[in-house]
Amino acid sequence: MTTTAADHASVPGPGPDNPGTAASGKAPEPVDENVWLEDIYGEEQLAWVREQNSRTEDLLEDAGYAGLEAGILEVLDSTDRIAMVGKRGDWYYNFWRDQQNPKGLWRRTTWESYCTDSPEWDVLLDVDELSRAEGEEWVFHGATFLRPAAGEPYRLALLALSPDGGDANRYREFDVEARAFVDPAAGGFDLPTAKGNVSWLDADTLLVASTAEGLPRTASSYARTAVTLKRGDSLATAPRLFEVPEDHMMAVAAHDSTPGFERTFAVDYIDFFNRTSFVLRDGGWEAIDVPTDVNVSAHREWLLFRPQQDWTLDGTTYPAGALLAANFEDYLAGRREPIVLFTPDAHTSLQSWSWTRSFLLLNLLKDVSSEIRVLDPSRPSGNADGGWTATLLDACPPLHDVNAYAVDDEDEGPADGGAGDDFWLVATGFTTPTTLMRGTLEHDNLEHDNLEHDAAGTSGVVSRHATVKASPSFFADAEYEVEQHFAVSDDGTRVPYFQVAPRGLALDGQNPTQLSGYGGFEVSRTPAYSGTVGRAWLERRTTPAETDGDASHSRGGVYVVANIRGGGEYGPAWHRAALKENRHRAYEDFAAVARDLISRGVTSPRRLGCVGGSNGGLLVGNMLTRYPELFRAVSCGVPLLDMRRYTRLSAGHSWIAEYGDPDVPEQWEYIKTFSPYHLLKDAVEYPETFIWTATSDDRVGPVQARKMAARMLAMGIPNVWFHEALEGGHAGASDNRQAAALQARSQHFLWKALAG
């Protein structure tokens, strides 16, 4: 029997005895019969979870599932995958998981060895062995090195280890030469598990923002203060360095140890899109004077600015999504004449940037295909805005994602035999396995005063790059083609989407089609190779039993990625178009893509399903409740769904800038229109639904998924399934085995619903 918990306590509706009602100035709270499930680790609650898990596993883990999971795990465990590396000093570091090492190895090698087919790896830490020795299920979350003295090798690092895959980490000092943790009894740093960040100030001092040992936290569950921690001292007694108000998102402190440009910074993250940055001067914090929605970053002598909204400075307006530069000291001294490095247009947006020793790499999207420009600070462009000479990097095929970033900007330049102007190129596409290339940037032979500019205003930089590693193909990618289409949303906006399908696709509306999206926080969905999607969806074939016994109708799946508003595909304006009261635009865009697929004959509502996680889980939750007629199945992962109480759950308070504050009556009026938990109705034929989450997710948390499933089950809605991984954090998995199981459940659920 399925437990619905009808007898459990609930949050009452509006009334004089309810402090959360309009009488207190807050928006009224609807009745919530499932509030008892908010006790994440309660025995009764976990018993409900196990019951649902068992029920779902009985449905999904059939004979077909076992082979599917094994095929996905083979992809994830493949030893032919590219071992991506990061350079520190003379070594190239990598973290690696495979079948023999499910929790992973932190290791390093030389460049010469890395270039071979079988590099010789120097294993620094075996996380599986550590977990067995300490009786803790550690998940490796990265390493932060101490900059050594000139001429010395990198030796000491702080390792971030999560006990369950969540966002809270324990930071422990590690000696890479001794291949061991530095003993806390001998003064080694060992910080309690908590949310926060850590930065080296010097060999004996850390800057720590943490929620551990009684340090205050914000309403968003992140660190409110940063402290200066000396060896041998405790966080509880360490002197406070920086503090933010409780209703702000979090405090961060970090030290830039670049020789000649040593600076200490702090950031008051007000919310996801507003912050104030400070630099420590003469014992006090000096704010970098920009609007809070202008992102600031420092590199050597430069300050870079990227406004989220149009920024008017001294009578000149710089558009949202532009990139500007100014000399660091000049700007702080009051000379405010920024150089324009990039200006967005209707098709092109800036996604990221990276400094080499002498150049600045810009990673752009032009209608969601990559473009890379190299800027040369030593050569003005001659334009009125004083920009730098730009060169297009010839490395970006259409409908691909290509990213360039520095190998080691603090190394010597190529003239001195160093890697300072070397860069990595990582290229991928839906049917193109990932390729890793390495290149070098150099000034050309033209004299500064005799530069010739082409029509794009480019000249001045010579780039050479070559392939270092290439991932294998995990499915018959040559049999599939990638197309880009544009759907028209309700307000006339053209919304791009990618379609990956077998060549010669029959446009008869009968193709099982999986539509994926995100649409939030200025996150872009770009082309990317996925052996998992290839094997688990594109290469799946309907059986004669699934096609009324007609084997000639056997067909594979179609995979679609929608680039809806709320994302960052066209820069900040594309994101802001779906904020708060305009959230419906993201959902209208996604529904428009679904309708376009149907009208083009790619699929039909009977054969169309959607999948999304986190904010994407909220997206598909709204497809379930607002557009049930368009979909046969919905796979909803680690989702936001209860938008009335989301600010009180896990890190939810930090997302008010994205969705709005449900406690404010005027804002709840629009938020409730996209709160799936409150949009469920009787007598509606809903799509088949699979809701999945993780107990240890300390970002969104498992609560909203639990409550949505419980309410749907109590309403008697058929074909509702729930699964909660007991570890794995917001990713839902802490090793490849868990990741394979998670992906297999979602893919198998969709296939059973859509191909039958």
Side-chain angles (χ1 to χ4, degrees):
M1 179 176 127
T2 300
T3 302
T4 60
D7 296 329
H8 285 278
S10 63
V11 174
D17 298 324
N18 179 13
T21 67
S24 66
K26 292 184 177 181
E29 289 202 38
V31 170
D32 187 351
E33 75 284 5
N34 296 307
V35 72
W36 71 282
L37 286 168
E38 293 183 5
D39 183 354
I40 293 175
Y41 294 99
E43 289 186 12
E44 190 177 7
Q45 291 77 7
L46 288 177
W48 181 89
V49 167
R50 293 188 182 96
E51 181 182 1
Q52 296 304 320
N53 283 358
S54 177
R55 174 176 170 268
T56 299
E57 289 163 8
D58 287 345
L59 168 76
L60 293 179
E61 296 184 10
D62 55 18
Y65 171 86
L68 180 65
E69 181 183 5
I72 295 173
L73 185 58
E74 184 181 26
V75 172
L76 300 179
D77 278 343
S78 170
T79 56
D80 293 331
R81 290 172 290 129
I82 298 176
M84 296 295 184
V85 291
K87 182 177 179 294
R88 287 293 182 274
D90 295 329
W91 293 94
Y92 291 78
Y93 290 81
N94 163 261
F95 183 70
W96 181 262
R97 290 190 182 115
D98 59 23
Q99 185 176 7
Q100 284 70 42
N101 308 281
K103 291 192 175 298
L105 302 172
W106 188 44
R107 58 191 190 171
R108 66 183 183 180
T109 190
T110 64
W111 175 245
E112 292 73 20
S113 181
Y114 184 69
C115 290
T116 67
D117 291 336
S118 300
E120 295 183 5
W121 292 102
D122 175 15
V123 176
L124 303 171
L125 179 67
D126 183 329
V127 182
D128 293 273
E129 184 178 301
L130 177 71
S131 296
R132 285 190 292 270
E134 298 186 346
E136 191 75 69
E137 297 298 318
W138 291 118
V139 179
F140 186 84
H141 277 174
T144 303
F145 275 97
L146 168 70
R147 180 190 298 279
E152 296 295 319
Y154 282 83
R155 179 162 186 163
L156 297 178
L158 291 168
L159 304 192
L161 296 166
S162 169
D164 56 12
D167 290 347
N169 293 310
R170 179 178 169 188
Y171 288 92
R172 301 167 69 178
E173 187 176 6
F174 191 86
D175 185 330
V176 298
E177 299 303 325
R179 291 164 184 75
F181 291 103
V182 181
D183 187 353
F189 289 112
D190 187 353
L191 307 185
T193 299
K195 290 185 179 182
N197 83 290
V198 178
S199 175
W200 291 95
L201 181 63
D202 57 44
D204 295 310
T205 314
L206 302 179
L207 305 180
V208 182
S210 176
T211 59
E213 295 192 356
L215 292 175
R217 62 185 63 197
T218 65
S220 298
S221 79
Y222 295 110
R224 185 178 171 189
T225 60
V227 301
T228 304
L229 182 66
K230 294 286 187 181
R231 282 193 187 277
D233 292 347
S234 72
L235 284 176
T237 59
R240 301 285 174 91
L241 177 69
F242 183 70
E243 185 168 355
V244 303
E246 183 181 8
D247 61 347
H248 287 194
M249 180 175 161
M250 65 179 168
V252 170
H255 182 69
D256 182 352
S257 59
T258 305
F261 300 95
E262 294 89 349
R263 308 181 185 102
T264 296
F265 294 95
V267 183
D268 173 3
Y269 282 88
I270 301 168
D271 57 39
F272 242 86
F273 314 113
N274 290 274
R275 68 200 67 174
T276 303
S277 299
F278 301 84
V279 60
L280 194 60
R281 290 286 176 95
D282 301 322
W285 292 110
E286 180 178 348
I288 298 174
D289 185 17
V290 297
T292 59
D293 61 358
V294 174
N295 296 342
V296 177
S297 66
H299 177 83
R300 297 181 182 268
E301 70 269 35
W302 295 107
L303 267 176
L304 294 187
F305 311 93
R306 184 177 185 261
Q308 294 293 106
Q309 301 187 73
D310 291 355
W311 177 24
T312 300
L313 178 65
D314 293 342
T316 301
T317 298
Y318 303 99
L323 186 67
L324 317 173
N327 179 275
F328 189 99
E329 296 298 335
D330 286 351
Y331 190 87
L332 264 64
R335 292 186 284 277
R336 309 292 167 82
E337 297 177 354
I339 302 164
V340 178
L341 305 182
F342 168 79
T343 301
D345 59 35
H347 299 277
T348 311
S349 66
L350 173 65
Q351 297 292 298
S352 64
W353 59 86
S354 178
W355 289 93
T356 71
R357 190 172 187 85
S358 308
F359 303 96
L360 179 62
L361 294 156
L362 303 186
N363 294 303
L364 312 176
L365 285 182
K366 179 169 285 189
D367 285 327
V368 208
S369 289
S370 287
E371 178 178 294
I372 299 171
R373 297 181 194 173
V374 183
L375 304 188
D376 184 353
S378 71
R379 293 180 171 179
S381 66
N383 297 332
D385 56 20
W388 301 337
T389 298
T391 303
L392 285 176
L393 201 63
D394 184 16
C396 302
L399 306 187
H400 280 69
D401 181 49
V402 186
N403 280 279
Y405 55 97
V407 172
D408 184 356
D409 68 287
E410 295 175 6
D411 205 348
E412 297 294 330
D416 300 309
D421 282 323
D422 285 7
F423 62 95
W424 301 114
L425 274 176
V426 180
T428 185
F430 290 111
T431 59
T432 305
T434 301
T435 300
L436 174 67
M437 295 166 275
R438 182 167 175 165
T440 300
L441 301 171
E442 295 180 292
H443 292 103
D444 64 14
N445 295 323
L446 294 174
E447 293 296 330
H448 173 78
D449 293 334
N450 295 315
L451 289 178
E452 296 179 2
H453 302 284
D454 61 20
T458 64
S459 183
V461 179
V462 174
S463 166
R464 304 185 307 276
H465 56 269
T467 298
V468 178
K469 304 277 184 182
S471 288
S473 175
F474 290 107
F475 63 97
D477 42 68
E479 298 179 8
Y480 301 88
E481 60 184 348
V482 180
E483 298 175 351
Q484 186 180 47
H485 297 271
F486 288 81
V488 179
S489 195
D490 290 2
D491 64 355
T493 300
R494 297 179 75 243
V495 180
Y497 66 92
F498 293 104
Q499 173 185 303
V500 189
R503 296 184 182 277
L505 180 72
L507 297 178
D508 60 1
Q510 295 304 305
N511 300 294
T513 300
Q514 179 180 158
L515 175 57
S516 175
Y518 189 77
F521 297 94
E522 205 179 337
V523 172
S524 302
R525 291 293 306 274
T526 55
Y529 189 85
S530 171
T532 294
V533 170
R535 288 190 172 188
W537 191 257
L538 295 174
E539 288 193 330
R540 291 286 290 272
R541 288 290 181 270
T542 53
T543 66
E546 292 168 333
T547 54
D548 298 325
D550 187 353
S552 65
H553 290 170
S554 175
R555 63 184 75 206
V558 175
Y559 181 65
V560 179
V561 173
N563 303 114
I564 60 178
R565 282 175 288 184
E569 289 86 347
Y570 291 100
W574 194 249
H575 167 237
R576 296 190 67 82
L579 279 184
K580 295 186 176 181
E581 67 272 18
N582 294 318
R583 197 80 204 161
H584 61 277
R585 290 176 176 164
Y587 310 137
E588 290 168 358
D589 289 358
F590 199 75
V593 172
R595 293 191 188 100
D596 201 57
L597 290 166
I598 294 167
S599 68
R600 291 177 46 239
V602 174
T603 191
S604 63
R606 170 66 184 81
R607 303 292 184 187
L608 179 59
C610 59
V611 60
S614 191
N615 173 75
L618 176 62
L619 165 68
V620 299
N622 273 277
M623 294 304 106
L624 170 73
T625 52
R626 292 165 56 109
Y627 302 95
E629 73 282 359
L630 293 178
F631 300 94
R632 174 59 179 257
V634 174
S635 177
C636 179
V638 289
L640 289 93
L641 293 166
D642 177 359
M643 300 305 290
R644 181 62 187 89
R645 291 177 61 80
Y646 86 93
T647 57
R648 307 176 203 177
L649 303 171
S650 299
H653 192 272
S654 62
W655 308 319
I656 287 175
E658 181 82 12
Y659 305 117
D661 187 346
D663 281 339
V664 177
E666 295 79 11
Q667 296 186 37
W668 172 239
E669 284 303 307
Y670 65 74
I671 294 172
K672 68 183 181 183
T673 68
F674 59 83
S675 181
Y677 188 56
H678 302 99
L679 294 178
L680 291 167
K681 298 177 181 178
D682 291 321
V684 174
E685 186 175 345
Y686 287 109
E688 297 186 29
T689 305
F690 178 37
I691 302 173
W692 45 275
T693 186
T695 309
S696 60
D697 180 1
D698 53 3
R699 195 177 310 170
V700 172
V703 167
Q704 300 184 62
R706 291 178 182 180
K707 296 202 300 183
M708 185 74 169
R711 179 167 285 183
M712 293 180 74
L713 289 167
M715 292 174 66
I717 298 172
N719 297 314
V720 177
W721 311 94
F722 175 88
H723 197 278
E724 181 173 320
L726 298 181
E727 58 186 30
H730 190 53
S734 59
D735 59 33
N736 290 347
R737 175 187 54 80
Q738 293 175 6
L742 182 153
Q743 289 296 325
R745 288 189 200 100
S746 177
Q747 297 289 346
H748 198 44
F749 162 78
L750 287 172
W751 189 260
K752 286 169 71 75
L754 303 181

